[in-house]
Amino acid sequence: MIDIRFLRENPEAVKENIRKKFQDAKLPLVDEVVDLDAKRRAAIAEVESLKAARNKLSKANGPLYGQLKKCDDEAKKAELQAQIDRNNAAVKADDDRRAELDQSVSQMDARIREIMYVIPNIIDPSVPIGPDDSCNVEVERFGDPVVPTFEIPHHVDIMASFNGIDKESAGRVAGMGFYYLLGDIARLHEAVLAYARDFMIDEKGFTYVIPPFMMHGDVVKGVMSFPEMEAMMYKIEGEDLYLIGTSEHTMIGRFIDQVLPEAQLPLTLTSYSPCFRKEVGSHGLEERGVYRIHQFEKQEMIVVCKPEESMDWYNKLWKNSVELFRNLEIPV
């Protein structure tokens, strides 16, 4: 989520960023936030003014009550009581107005938060602009692909030749998008995960983490919109719990509402988790293979650092990925 102060001061830059992401339907949200933010700050200023006026009126009533208690002149007593009543009426009016403003501020806060979850983060200037991966720009190659003289078998056929996969039984047990891994293929799967884990721990000095595999709905609100969350994530019936679609969610969620001492940064973490995804609308894209599946496992790299160090860490992380693949003699 971007800082609302940045949006307040740079609304056109935020709009241009939305255009670069081809999400023009979100452009009116920027103006709505700017308007709500101005009204919210004006309401808060009025609340503070009303508090000061209320305190002044309440303080003024103290001496008046003292005079009223000592006064024997009925006319004067009536005048003092009238002034006290006027002050009390003004205090009540101020309190009623403050309650109205507080409710309005609360409603505006909720709407602003809802919109800010949807407005995309500012992309780095180095990012190529395009609506989909057809506009990706190849920057560098590491290693050359080896093209064999024979026809390359489908990856499922390779696994099947080792009696290493059973999608038919998985379909009966859980439906499309699942599979059993068997024998040496299952061992190879675990070996690659273990190699990636130990590479990050032993070679790169990252701390190994196994996070929760479920999370509350509010943990992921800052990561994706609610419609995206509903389309991707499996919800536990009757509970505020979702199966994670990636360990990034609970890894970053660990730091919600936390203030980290600068001396502790950067935190360099590598996490393992199974991942669960509905993959709504993706059926049929790769039904025979093991893509677009509902359950898989990942080894992640997570770094929590100061903002000014983020690009340096980004470059370190992709280089880690390249090194891992090249160690396995896979071109990148």
Side-chain angles (χ1 to χ4, degrees):
M1 184 192 300
I2 65 174
D3 191 330
I4 193 169
R5 290 174 296 182
F6 179 84
L7 185 147
R8 182 189 303 147
E9 297 167 6
N10 304 277
E12 291 309 313
V14 174
K15 288 182 180 180
E16 181 59 25
N17 183 70
I18 290 173
R19 294 187 188 98
K20 287 180 178 179
K21 283 181 163 282
F22 299 86
Q23 300 177 6
D24 289 17
K26 296 179 180 179
L27 289 171
L29 296 177
V30 178
D31 292 329
E32 185 179 351
V33 166
V34 170
D35 181 58
L36 285 170
D37 179 57
K39 290 177 179 176
R40 175 186 176 277
R41 287 184 292 143
I44 290 173
E46 186 178 347
V47 166
E48 294 304 314
S49 176
L50 289 170
K51 284 180 181 178
R54 185 190 192 284
N55 291 339
K56 186 176 180 180
L57 289 168
S58 296
K59 188 178 292 185
N61 270 354
L64 292 176
Y65 278 119
Q67 293 176 43
L68 181 64
K69 191 174 183 179
K70 296 176 182 178
C71 184
D72 295 326
D73 186 314
E74 293 300 323
K76 182 65 175 175
K77 287 175 68 175
E79 182 181 336
L80 289 170
Q81 186 62 56
Q83 183 59 51
I84 290 171
D85 291 343
R86 285 193 294 270
N87 288 351
N88 287 338
V91 166
K92 184 181 185 307
D94 285 353
D95 286 346
D96 291 344
R97 175 60 178 161
R98 280 174 53 207
E100 179 185 330
L101 288 169
D102 285 341
Q103 183 178 8
S104 177
V105 167
S106 179
Q107 291 171 346
M108 287 187 285
D109 279 340
R111 177 57 181 160
I112 288 171
R113 191 179 307 110
E114 180 184 356
I115 294 174
M116 294 300 286
Y117 280 141
V118 174
I119 291 177
N121 285 326
I122 303 297
I123 60 176
D124 189 81
S126 66
V127 176
I129 304 304
D132 53 46
D133 59 8
S134 67
C135 296
N136 284 353
V137 176
E138 183 178 291
V139 178
E140 193 172 356
R141 287 191 177 203
F142 302 87
D144 296 315
V146 177
V147 181
T149 57
F150 55 86
E151 183 178 351
I152 302 172
H154 191 278
H155 62 271
V156 171
D157 293 336
I158 295 174
M159 290 190 283
S161 70
F162 288 90
N163 192 29
I165 187 167
D166 183 354
K167 293 189 71 179
E168 183 179 345
S169 297
R172 292 195 301 269
V173 169
M176 289 292 297
F178 297 92
Y179 55 83
Y180 287 95
L181 292 182
L182 311 168
D184 286 342
I185 293 298
R187 293 176 66 193
L188 177 62
H189 171 78
E190 291 298 316
V192 171
L193 283 169
Y195 178 77
R197 177 200 65 202
D198 293 343
F199 171 80
M200 291 307 303
I201 297 169
D202 299 332
E203 300 295 325
K204 303 304 174 184
F206 279 45
T207 299
Y208 184 48
V209 181
I210 299 178
F213 302 154
M214 301 181 194
M215 63 181 171
H216 294 311
D218 60 356
V219 174
V220 79
K221 280 182 180 177
V223 179
M224 64 176 68
S225 68
F226 186 77
E228 290 171 327
M229 181 171 71
E230 285 294 293
M232 177 180 125
M233 306 184 74
Y234 289 101
K235 188 177 189 309
I236 307 301
E237 190 69 31
E239 297 188 53
D240 178 26
L241 282 175
Y242 290 80
L243 294 174
I244 63 171
T246 168
S247 67
E248 295 168 32
H249 296 157
T250 44
M251 288 293 291
I252 298 303
R254 178 184 174 196
F255 304 106
I256 285 178
D257 297 328
Q258 302 296 306
V259 177
L260 303 178
E262 185 175 345
Q264 290 184 9
L265 302 180
L267 297 178
T268 55
L269 311 168
T270 182
S271 59
Y272 160 82
S273 76
C275 306
F276 307 92
R277 299 188 184 183
K278 291 180 181 178
E279 294 289 2
V280 172
S282 65
H283 296 298
L285 294 180
E286 186 61 66
E287 287 188 358
R288 182 163 177 255
V290 290
Y291 300 116
R292 298 292 184 181
I293 52 180
H294 297 307
Q295 174 187 319
F296 56 95
E297 294 166 88
K298 285 208 298 182
Q299 189 71 33
E300 298 274 9
M301 295 181 286
I302 303 288
V303 174
V304 182
C305 65
K306 292 184 287 187
E308 60 269 24
E309 296 175 351
S310 61
M311 185 53 71
D312 288 341
W313 273 108
Y314 168 77
N315 287 319
K316 289 177 183 177
L317 294 185
W318 73 253
K319 288 175 182 176
N320 288 346
S321 298
V322 169
E323 185 178 342
L324 175 68
F325 279 104
R326 295 305 295 135
N327 286 353
L328 298 172
E329 298 185 3
I330 298 172
V332 184

